[in-house]
Amino acid sequence: MFGDGQRGGKKERRQRRFVASVVGTVLVATCTAACGADGAQGDVPGGGGSGGSAPGAATSAASRLGGGSLRGEADGKGGASVTPTVPAPAAALSVPILGPAPTPLTSARLTAASFTDGERIGGYTASAYGLGAPLGERYSAEPVDCQPLVSLAKGATPHVPEAEVNRGLADTDEAYGSTVAVQLRSYAAHGAAGVLGALRAAGRQCADGFTEDRGLARARYLSVESADAPGLGDDAVAYRFTILDVQGKAKLYEYLTVVRIGACTLSFRAETTDSEDIGRVPDEIVQAQWEKFHAAAE
């Protein structure tokens, strides 16, 4: 008789502990959803550097522009709080791993944050592209895994831009000066973070080179190397490309830098027809575009 009563007491205590565990898990899930848990998984850390030295400015500008913020993603920047892990039965509610997606910006708002036609930045002059976007869909790569390094146009990654604004900057002080394509894009959901993840994956897989098809010509990339990324935004990545010219004789150098802030990416691609290595995307262009992005948010 006493043995049966003891087994009944243990059973009741196990049931109470199970109910407490379920309730605790539901409370954690509710708080996480209400507070907007961060931790986007689309961004793969490592390779090509990372930004984030000005978290307050980046988050503030993104929110004022309507771009939201993705602080505290998989790369750990932003000092995001850690949601405790609570053991729970399989039937309990799962805790979301992604916070609210930042809101993509419209073309009008990206235009307000971009360079204006004729604007001077150091020795460079900005202008709008008259014949479509640069580095568009006709640019392709072999193997296809290297596509993000050639063009981030529609189809380059699973993340399609919701809006895009393009500007070209030319060094008008030099006969064979460098040019920089500046492209501002906004994405739905966590697409902007996914784009930087795709760039890092391509940088690793295509380090030994690949072939770029530009429609009327093909170029051979001899190497893809990580470069110093600016300490801006929620994340940033940069690469140096060594390219064999179309005649297969001279080596040319191009640089790609992409900065993410919330739902937007600011992309800079610098190139020259000369064999001189320009060393990086000009700092004054990256900084000026960054400042215009913030000014448009104020």
Side-chain angles (χ1 to χ4, degrees):
M1 178 176 67
F2 290 107
D4 291 340
Q6 289 172 346
R7 285 195 297 272
K10 290 180 180 179
K11 182 178 181 180
E12 292 173 0
R13 286 195 296 273
R14 285 197 298 270
Q15 289 174 339
R16 286 196 295 270
R17 286 197 297 270
F18 175 81
V19 171
S21 174
V22 173
V23 172
T25 302
V26 172
L27 288 175
V28 170
T30 303
C31 179
T32 303
C35 297
D38 290 334
Q41 301 300 309
D43 202 353
V44 181
S50 62
S53 66
T59 303
S60 177
S63 60
R64 290 196 300 272
L65 274 169
S69 173
L70 281 177
R71 306 303 299 170
E73 293 185 325
D75 54 9
K77 290 185 288 296
S81 59
V82 179
T83 302
T85 301
V86 179
L93 294 176
S94 61
V95 179
I97 60 173
L98 293 180
T103 303
L105 302 188
T106 63
S107 179
R109 303 198 76 175
L110 286 181
T111 299
S114 67
F115 293 124
T116 57
D117 197 30
E119 183 172 353
R120 293 277 296 181
I121 302 92
Y124 293 81
T125 302
S127 62
Y129 283 93
L131 298 175
L135 307 168
E137 296 178 33
R138 66 186 182 91
Y139 281 67
S140 60
E142 298 177 6
V144 71
D145 290 343
C146 306
Q147 182 66 35
L149 300 173
V150 170
S151 168
L152 288 174
K154 180 181 179 181
T157 74
H159 313 285
V160 179
E162 293 286 308
E164 179 177 333
V165 171
N166 305 287
R167 295 290 183 265
L169 287 92
D171 183 353
T172 54
D173 295 337
E174 298 288 341
Y176 297 97
S178 59
T179 59
V180 182
V182 180
Q183 300 176 278
L184 280 60
R185 299 181 177 93
S186 67
Y187 296 84
H190 296 283
V195 166
L196 266 74
L199 280 168
R200 285 194 170 97
R204 291 190 298 268
Q205 296 172 18
C206 307
D208 294 330
F210 61 94
T211 300
E212 175 191 279
D213 189 336
R214 302 183 180 183
L216 298 178
R218 292 168 65 87
R220 176 63 184 167
Y221 283 60
L222 302 178
S223 66
V224 177
E225 304 168 88
S226 295
D228 292 334
L232 300 172
D234 295 307
D235 195 8
V237 64
Y239 290 105
R240 174 184 185 265
F241 306 123
T242 301
I243 305 172
L244 199 61
D245 70 359
V246 293
Q247 296 179 350
K249 297 179 179 179
K251 290 183 180 180
L252 306 176
Y253 303 94
E254 292 185 8
Y255 287 84
L256 173 65
T257 294
V258 181
V259 178
R260 181 181 69 80
I261 174 172
C264 296
T265 60
L266 314 180
S267 174
F268 308 85
R269 193 180 191 101
E271 59 181 280
T272 179
T273 55
D274 194 355
S275 58
E276 179 183 359
D277 188 347
I278 60 176
R280 64 174 62 227
V281 175
D283 292 333
E284 62 267 31
I285 293 178
V286 177
Q287 187 63 37
Q289 178 58 84
W290 177 254
E291 291 174 358
K292 286 185 72 73
F293 191 93
H294 281 280
E298 296 177 351

